[in-house]
Amino acid sequence: EAQVTQNPRYLITVTGKKLTVTCSQNMNHEYMSWYRQDPGLGLRQIYYSMNVEVTDKGDVPEGYKVSRKEKRNFPLILESPSPNQTSLYFCASSPGQGLPGSGNTIYFGEGSWLTVV
Amino acid sequence: KNQVEQSPQSLIILEGKNCTLQCNYTVSPFSNLRWYKQDTGRGPVSLTIMTFSENTKSNGRYTATLDADTKQSSLHITASQLSDSASYICVVSEKTGANNLFFGTGTRLTVIP
């Protein structure tokens, strides 16, 4: 089954404790992306990757890092989490060159609820 | 400024009734428009994708329309079911640039028995 898998789904952590949210897709997609979703706001892009070893900042990259060493994996790293990073996070992937403007379907993971206290 | 605005913010309807959700956008140059359904606490799932030349697209009981001249889209849900309760998100792509997606804040639909 084609899917985007995120882990963990739920996490409560303390300020400053590094954490990684993993994302894996089994569809051989070139394009992958991370979003955060907060109440009253649309999804906002954190980082995206057009292919292996190619990553770029989205709209809200501060406080986050990513890496794309393999095509299927795109982990999101919070080096020193802060309470304002409490949010619902989504990983997404898209086929081909993955340009969203191309009209390719974007597949989202199930989300990771992160609370930083 | 590229924006996507959805209305209403929330909507409650009786099971079996029809409803229409609206999406207005200012994204230019326009490439395509997507409607997603997002169940509470779950990832968005694609319903339709429409390009500039398409003005109607259906997916079961969901029918999306697009008027590229007025920059408006609507999502019509026919014979609503309890399982239609979700947020519906309009997403517009910009034609230029590698990665320009603009998300609406969604319409929260609740279908009651």
Side-chain angles (χ1 to χ4, degrees), chain B residues 20-41:
Chain B
T20 300
L21 314 180
Q22 299 290 343
C23 174
N24 297 338
Y25 62 93
T26 59
V27 177
S28 182
F30 172 84
S31 177
N32 57 68
L33 185 146
R34 300 171 165 92
W35 282 96
Y36 279 86
K37 178 186 179 186
Q38 184 179 18
D39 293 316
T40 301

Side-chain angles (χ1 to χ4, degrees), chain B:
Chain B
K1 181 181 176 183
N2 289 317
Q3 285 186 308
V4 177
E5 295 186 352
Q6 294 186 242
S7 62
Q9 279 190 323
S10 61
L11 183 62
I12 301 174
I13 63 173
L14 290 173
E15 185 179 12
K17 297 296 186 182
N18 303 336
C19 68
T20 300
L21 314 180
Q22 299 290 343
C23 174
N24 297 338
Y25 62 93
T26 59
V27 177
S28 182
F30 172 84
S31 177
N32 57 68
L33 185 146
R34 300 171 165 92
W35 282 96
Y36 279 86
K37 178 186 179 186
Q38 184 179 18
D39 293 316
T40 301
R42 308 291 295 274
V45 174
S46 180
L47 293 175
T48 64
I49 301 175
M50 286 186 294
T51 60
F52 185 89
S53 59
E54 297 173 298
N55 54 27
T56 302
K57 185 166 277 190
S58 292
N59 178 357
R61 293 180 296 102
Y62 301 101
T63 299
T65 65
L66 173 65
D67 186 334
D69 291 330
T70 61
K71 299 186 178 182
Q72 296 179 325
S73 176
S74 65
L75 181 69
H76 187 74
I77 304 175
T78 304
S80 61
Q81 299 176 359
L82 298 179
S83 60
D84 292 331
S85 295
S87 288
Y88 292 84
I89 302 172
C90 177
V91 186
V92 182
S93 297
E94 189 182 33
K95 197 167 191 174
T96 59
N99 190 48
N100 293 325
L101 283 177
F102 299 91
F103 289 83
T105 55
T107 292
R108 176 68 202 175
L109 174 66
T110 303
V111 180
I112 58 176

Side-chain angles (χ1 to χ4, degrees), chain A residues 13-19 78-83 85 116-117:
Chain A
T13 190
V14 296
T15 299
K17 185 177 181 182
K18 180 180 178 179
L19 69 91
L78 285 73
E79 292 274 3
S80 182
S82 62
Q85 292 178 297
V116 184
V117 297

